[in-house]
Amino acid sequence: MRCDIVTLFPEMFAALTEYGVTGRAAKRGRYTLVFHNPRDHTPLPHRQVDDRPYGGGPGMVMRPEPLTAAIRAAKTAQHTELGFTGPVIYLSPQGKRFTQADAHRLAQYPAFTLLCGRYEGIDQRVIDLEVDEELSLGDFVLSGGELAAMVVLDATIRLLPGVLGDAESARRDSFQAGLLDHPHYTRPETFEGLRVPSVLLSGNHTAIQKWRQAQAMERTARCRPDLLDDRKDAFNP
Ligand SMILES: Nc1nonc1C(=O)NCc1ccc(Cl)cc1
């Protein structure tokens, strides 16, 4: 999978490429990130990428010229490299709520582009001209789109073939059942007076699986009854 990222802060994405499961996957070539910094695409003097908002108000707005040029560079590169141009996705609180189903959908594309905003916003004409879909992680305001982009990428990369080991992908399958995760325990058997549930020490794998399923159901019913309403959408694409 190839992801082109339009961002003023490409270094932030080391959080994905240098650590853990996503770091190993990058090193193994399971995915590639390609960065397009609007500062390298602006026709304005002094690498300017922002300007004052029409209509007044606090802060600055990202100019359309650098952003559209960076997006178009990404699309051209995808077309040249892959003969395919994926969707341009803008991360913002105004977007459709991102779910596991979206991660499955994105994992199917050979390539796509993520647009990360900063400042108070981006010129609306960038969205009108170049954005195919807007995605939101939730109803809160971050300082920029980069952290949201990394969350979307992490959830998507985990679904790529060969990224998760057997154990992890088995666990992921339990998530696919549209339930929350069951409790986990490891050594010591007793910690500050709290013992590991005896079924987990029994070696009876049928009983263990039943216990885990029951725990997942109970936890979901208690904490996220909405997931039980329609298990199709929540974690199942
Ligand atoms: N919540 C969210 N879900 O996705 N993205 C967010 C978010 O807060 N972005 C911050 C942001 C987005 C665009 C610009 Cl120009 C500035 C800041």
Side-chain angles (χ1 to χ4, degrees), residues 60 62 90-95 115-122 135-149 152:
M60 304 291 273
M62 296 189 82
Y90 175 48
L91 290 310
S92 88
Q94 285 72 42
L115 170 60
C116 303
R118 283 270 155 174
Y119 303 100
E120 299 309 306
I122 68 174
L135 288 178
S136 169
L137 295 193
D139 298 334
F140 44 82
V141 181
L142 302 170
S143 309
E146 285 80 6
L147 287 174
V152 168

Side-chain angles (χ1 to χ4, degrees), residues 41-78:
H41 293 269
T42 178
L44 305 168
H46 316 301
R47 290 165 65 80
Q48 181 187 346
V49 294
D50 64 313
D51 210 329
R52 291 181 300 114
Y54 281 121
M60 304 291 273
V61 173
M62 296 189 82
R63 290 274 298 249
E65 303 93 331
L67 287 179
T68 50
I71 291 167
R72 288 162 185 165
K75 292 171 77 170
T76 302
Q78 286 178 17

Side-chain angles (χ1 to χ4, degrees), residues 11-94:
E11 299 82 359
M12 287 181 72
F13 290 80
L16 286 174
T17 58
E18 304 308 313
Y19 302 92
V21 167
T22 55
R24 264 199 314 278
K27 287 180 177 54
R28 291 172 177 167
R30 303 284 193 255
Y31 72 98
T32 311
L33 303 183
V34 180
F35 298 102
H36 307 271
N37 191 328
R39 289 207 192 284
D40 300 328
H41 293 269
T42 178
L44 305 168
H46 316 301
R47 290 165 65 80
Q48 181 187 346
V49 294
D50 64 313
D51 210 329
R52 291 181 300 114
Y54 281 121
M60 304 291 273
V61 173
M62 296 189 82
R63 290 274 298 249
E65 303 93 331
L67 287 179
T68 50
I71 291 167
R72 288 162 185 165
K75 292 171 77 170
T76 302
Q78 286 178 17
H79 180 72
T80 306
E81 294 295 309
L82 304 171
F84 172 86
T85 305
V88 175
I89 299 166
Y90 175 48
L91 290 310
S92 88
Q94 285 72 42

